Amino acid sequence: MPDLKYQPVRHNHEQFLDKARTRKGFTEAYDALALEYQLADQLL
C-alpha cells in the first residue's frame, strides 16, 4: 500500500440527522439516548 494519502471527509451532523430522521423509529431511538449523547458531547 504505497503512496496512500490522507483525505479527510467532511461531516455535517445536522444534515446527517435530517436525513436519519426520515427513517422509521429513528427519532424515538435518538430521543431515548438524549442523556447519553449529552454526556458524550460534554466529554468531547
Side-chain angles (χ1 to χ4, degrees):
M1 288 200 254
D3 300 326
L4 291 179
K5 305 279 185 197
Y6 173 70
Q7 296 178 339
V9 177
R10 291 182 183 241
H11 174 73
N12 184 324
H13 196 65
E14 288 303 317
Q15 284 181 339
F16 166 78
L17 287 178
D18 288 343
K19 184 177 179 182
R21 284 187 180 113
T22 62
R23 295 192 322 244
K24 181 180 178 183
F26 176 83
T27 302
E28 294 82 10
Y30 188 82
D31 290 344
L33 295 172
L35 183 60
E36 286 83 352
Y37 290 135
Q38 288 176 0
L39 177 63
D41 187 46
Q42 290 177 4
L43 289 173
L44 293 175

